Amino acid sequence: MKPVRVVSGRAVPLDRSDVDTDQIIPSDWLKRVERTGFGAGLFSDWRDGRDFVLNRPEHAGATVLVAGPNFGTGSSREHAVWALMDYGFEAVVSPRFGDIFRINCTKQGLLPVQVEPSLGRALIDAVIQDPSLELTIDVARGTIEAPGAGLSGTFPLDEFTRDRLLNGWDDIGLTLRHEKAISRYEQARPTWMPSAPARS
Amino acid sequence: MADRHTEPRALSEKVWERHVVSRTEGKPDLLFVDLHLVHEVTSPQAFDALRMAGRTVRHPELTVATADHNVPTTGLDRPVADPISAKQLEVLEANCASFGITCYPMGHSNQGIVHIIGPELGLSLPGMTVVCGDSHTSTHGAFGALAFGIGTSEVEHVLATQTLAQPRPATMAIEVDGALPAWVSAKDVVLAIIGKIGTGGGIGHVIEYRGSTIRSLSMEGRMTVCNMSIEAGARAGMIAPDDTTFAYIEGRPHAPSGARWEEALSDWRGLVTDEGATFDSTVRIDTSSLAPHVTWGTNPAQVVPIGGSVPHPDELVEPSAREAATRALEYMGLVPGTALRDVAVDTVFIGSCTNSRIEDLREAAQVLGGRQVREGLRALVVPGSHRVKAQAEAEGLDKVFIAAGFEWREPGCSMCLAMNPDKLSVGERCASTSNRNFEGRQGRGGRTHLVSPAVAAATAVAGHFATPDELP
């Protein structure tokens, strides 16, 4: 993962609640075994509508998606995160995220910016009003600011996730530092635990 | 691993504590994973990443794979028609072979939907941690396991380390009491719960389902309830194991036997929420007057009792709920105020990890015996696994379905998410026993209404939403 410190840029206002991961990347796209090239599938069912917000020229090149509550609920597909990043998004703002989507974001370096509902609403309205509005999200400070609209707020990020994002650390490498503790745990597992014989 | 705690704890906290490999203040706990289930859709990129990093699978014997999302439900003796699906299925088998993982591919007698085969093979047991790159992993919580869905990066992490770093979730008790009226099932209970707490109501929480109604459910009913925990946003759903649980498990292929069975049993009996333990939140549901439920919208919380009608968005208080309802009605092609019983369907789908077990098929077959599917209506049954299919055929259920006009198919996820050829077309309306009524979930432009197996069967006969006792 590449380190993520500050995201700044224009935003796309997605004024909908309960945007599940099936909408972010429809299941037809999940048949692929690659990890790249999912940007073309982002919101693909909705993008066929000419008026869909992502198709509007004033939002081309935006790096932040500002959505309604319960963004990324449903299916665990990490393809949703790959699609958002491949399209060019670096952060998603919502008052509430699906748990698995939020975790998937932090594994890939897409910032899940959870804001108070009132700020979320105000940001969507501000971006609709002024598509050129610049947003700045600072990982170390845990802040989101849109000075052009006089809006600012904070978002939660636990210390561990923040440090991982700031440094771009490899999760598996971090875990394997606990090799001794893992081995110790393995020795003490109950004997009734099931296992399937490993194939040679 | 001995429990040294003296303060009262909830079931989920007990199972969590016994899996902590390493704990550091200010960091997520590192948890050991007892069982890692794998399927073809969310694993190929994880295996690739392992290979690129020169890593291996730490515990292939704690990992079990099957093909379910892409598999066709007809013509298993023929090559898979869609070349992209075919490749994904081949890649799963190749990855499992090269990393030494047990895999049940298309056509194997143990193959089926990953959340159906774990329990039926005795792999999912009380007190375990179970993960899978699939959000409906919450199903296995019915056994008192801590079971949750993960993304592909976490799949890779579990393959490499057999652990996961997880922040500790909040706890929620859902107390369900009251007898269930006739033709009201576990599916209706969980739809009512989701209707009450919403799609985001469980976010950040592990739900424990408790109360007399839950205790009276069979294991299959409990799996249906836990399965849909994710539709309320919950990290996981759990039910404390009891004699119903133990009776289900005993004698299954991977279940412990002999002295190990006794050892396991004495351990499992302690897997209950202690008297005096507190939950971060509690929700109560009385089921004594519950009716079968039908969704009308495009998320599972948009649901009403079958005697109800399509709501008026203006009656909703929350602006975001109003906006969502307006959009949903447009997509679903429904007019506010329409009685659900007046809504005609084109297709009925009985299947998915929510409702494709033997009891679901028995319930539907009971309704269909001596009756006919409404003319012009498409109806299909997709058993959850080859074992379920074989059991149903041994009981003659296949003949009941076929005689009524249903298609009797091969096992897989099928029309729940339309990754195989079983899809709805644009505008096609479906009564489905699956778990998600999202836009396009069963095929682009398709309109999904979630129901129980009994309502699905009755609806197939009536041609519109109906309960079995309304049928002539």
Side-chain angles (χ1 to χ4, degrees):
Chain A
M1 180 170 74
K2 274 192 268 178
V4 188
R5 301 193 175 100
V6 174
V7 171
S8 56
R10 286 174 294 109
V12 175
L14 183 63
D15 192 4
R16 298 180 186 193
S17 65
D18 297 284
V19 175
D20 57 76
T21 53
D22 275 76
Q23 307 316 313
I24 301 172
I25 184 88
S27 66
D28 260 354
W29 284 85
L30 271 52
K31 297 174 186 175
R32 302 174 70 247
V33 296
E34 299 82 12
R35 196 186 279 257
T36 52
F38 286 96
L42 180 69
F43 297 117
S44 60
D45 283 4
W46 290 347
R47 258 159 85 187
D48 284 353
R50 208 177 329 150
D51 292 339
F52 185 57
V53 67
L54 231 54
N55 295 334
R56 295 198 197 131
E58 63 268 32
H59 295 302
T63 53
V64 181
L65 182 69
V66 189
N70 299 330
F71 187 86
T73 48
S75 161
S76 64
R77 57 188 74 173
E78 197 163 305
H79 311 64
V81 174
W82 303 337
L84 286 159
M85 293 183 79
D86 192 45
Y87 185 85
F89 288 115
E90 297 171 26
V92 183
V93 181
S94 168
R96 194 154 63 168
F97 291 99
D99 283 324
I100 306 174
F101 174 80
R102 183 193 172 92
I103 291 173
N104 290 343
C105 281
T106 68
K107 301 295 176 191
Q108 292 296 315
L110 178 67
L111 273 185
V113 182
Q114 187 188 318
V115 295
E116 286 297 318
S118 55
L119 177 59
R121 182 70 255 162
L123 283 168
I124 288 178
D125 291 340
V127 177
I128 290 172
Q129 187 106 48
D130 176 11
S132 70
L133 185 69
E134 290 277 332
L135 276 67
T136 301
I137 300 156
D138 188 310
V139 177
R141 291 164 58 217
T143 55
I144 175 165
E145 289 167 337
L151 296 170
S152 67
T154 58
F155 62 96
L157 213 51
D158 68 85
E159 196 183 315
F160 177 70
T161 305
R162 189 194 62 205
D163 291 347
R164 267 199 322 105
L165 288 168
L166 288 171
N167 295 288
W169 282 331
D170 167 35
D171 253 356
I172 295 175
L174 288 180
T175 294
L176 290 175
R177 291 184 194 168
H178 298 282
E179 173 60 41
K180 273 190 190 154
I182 300 172
S183 299
R184 207 162 43 235
Y185 187 93
E186 286 166 337
Q187 301 301 319
R189 294 181 73 229
T191 56
W192 54 260
M193 284 285 181
S195 66
R199 290 155 68 183
S200 53
Chain B
M1 203 164 301
D3 291 338
R4 292 180 300 272
H5 294 256
T6 48
E7 74 277 18
R9 287 176 303 157
L11 166 64
S12 64
E13 295 169 320
K14 286 186 183 179
V15 178
W16 184 281
E17 283 302 319
R18 52 164 75 183
H19 289 90
V20 176
V21 169
S22 170
R23 172 171 285 162
T24 312
E25 192 59 34
K27 290 188 180 175
D29 286 345
L30 190 65
L31 297 183
F32 195 81
V33 172
D34 291 319
L35 175 65
H36 184 193
L37 297 167
V38 170
H39 63 77
E40 77 274 21
V41 175
T42 56
S43 64
Q45 296 87 351
F47 283 116
D48 272 352
L50 272 192
R51 247 183 238 110
M52 273 166 59
R55 286 169 176 147
T56 186
V57 176
R58 187 176 179 100
H59 284 289
E61 84 287 4
L62 302 183
T63 314
V64 174
T66 192
D68 55 6
H69 284 60
N70 277 269
V71 297
T73 57
T74 55
L76 297 194
D77 49 341
R78 295 194 299 272
V80 174
D82 179 341
I84 312 177
S85 287
K87 181 173 182 194
Q88 195 168 60
L89 293 164
E90 284 162 24
V91 165
L92 176 73
E93 283 192 66
N95 281 329
C96 289
S98 80
F99 286 101
I101 294 167
T102 296
C103 178
Y104 301 124
M106 195 174 99
H108 190 284
S109 59
N110 283 342
Q111 180 268 343
I113 305 175
V114 68
H115 308 306
I116 305 289
I117 70 164
E120 77 183 4
L121 294 175
L123 287 163
S124 315
L125 300 176
M128 291 173 68
T129 41
V130 180
V131 302
C132 175
D134 192 285
S135 60
H136 291 110
T137 309
S138 58
T139 311
H140 311 264
F143 291 83
L146 181 67
F148 51 90
I150 57 179
T152 298
S153 293
E154 289 189 313
V155 169
E156 179 192 348
H157 190 280
V158 177
L159 289 171
T161 70
Q162 203 59 34
T163 65
L164 264 184
Q166 292 287 303
R168 212 181 312 193
T171 58
M172 174 183 286
I174 298 190
E175 303 273 356
V176 189
D177 286 294
L180 288 181
W183 299 113
V184 176
S185 70
K187 179 65 162 286
D188 304 303
V189 171
V190 72
L191 284 173
I193 289 170
I194 298 162
K196 181 161 176 157
I197 71 174
T199 57
I203 287 178
H205 291 74
V206 173
I207 295 173
E208 182 183 339
Y209 301 97
R210 301 157 57 82
S212 59
T213 312
I214 300 297
R215 295 262 73 86
S216 71
L217 291 177
S218 68
M219 280 317 297
E220 299 196 356
R222 294 179 191 185
M223 284 188 252
T224 299
V225 172
C226 288
N227 171 275
M228 290 192 70
S229 302
I230 182 70
E231 309 317 333
R235 199 74 188 92
M238 296 178 85
I239 294 172
D242 58 14
D243 288 340
T244 303
T245 320
F246 310 143
Y248 176 96
I249 295 168
E250 194 171 8
R252 289 191 182 265
H254 287 279
S257 58
R260 282 179 181 172
W261 171 255
E262 295 304 325
E263 185 200 340
L265 211 52
S266 73
D267 180 47
W268 295 345
R269 289 195 193 281
L271 292 174
V272 291
T273 289
D274 294 326
E275 194 78 35
T278 54
F279 290 87
D280 295 309
S281 60
T282 299
V283 173
R284 287 177 208 284
I285 305 264
D286 177 7
T287 59
S288 52
S289 57
L290 195 72
H293 274 51
V294 182
T295 62
W296 53 265
T298 53
N299 76 56
Q302 293 174 326
V303 65
V304 289
I306 192 164
S309 32
V310 177
H312 290 269
D314 301 348
E315 291 166 3
L316 299 166
V317 185
E318 278 275 315
S320 66
R322 228 167 20 235
E323 173 265 349
T326 306
R327 280 184 46 79
L329 291 183
E330 190 190 330
Y331 180 85
M332 294 295 289
L334 291 172
V335 177
T338 309
L340 262 298
R341 282 199 173 93
D342 293 339
V343 176
V345 307
D346 306 301
T347 294
V348 169
F349 170 65
I350 298 178
S352 89
C353 58
T354 310
N355 282 127
S356 65
R357 299 177 192 85
I358 190 67
E359 290 175 11
D360 300 317
L361 304 192
R362 284 179 192 144
E363 186 174 271
Q366 192 190 338
V367 175
L368 293 170
R371 294 190 167 112
Q372 283 295 313
V373 168
R374 180 108 173 162
E375 205 175 323
L377 191 143
R378 168 164 75 137
L380 59 158
V381 195
V382 180
S385 68
H386 277 290
R387 284 175 178 252
V388 170
K389 182 169 183 259
Q391 175 68 32
E393 288 173 353
E395 296 178 19
L397 304 183
D398 56 327
K399 294 191 176 64
V400 176
F401 282 112
I402 293 166
F406 267 78
E407 294 175 51
W408 180 248
R409 297 288 191 90
E410 300 291 341
C413 300
S414 177
M415 201 185 268
C416 174
L417 85 167
M419 281 188 75
N420 77 348
D422 308 332
K423 294 177 198 290
L424 298 181
S425 52
V426 175
E428 191 175 348
R429 191 178 300 282
C430 179
S432 176
T433 66
S434 56
N435 41 56
R436 290 189 171 138
N437 51 343
F438 297 159
E439 282 181 38
R441 172 77 177 182
Q442 295 191 288
R444 194 169 177 167
R447 294 164 170 167
T448 303
H449 296 264
L450 304 177
V451 293
S452 70
V455 169
T459 300
V461 174
H464 55 82
F465 291 104
T467 55
D469 47 18
E470 294 159 31
L471 297 178

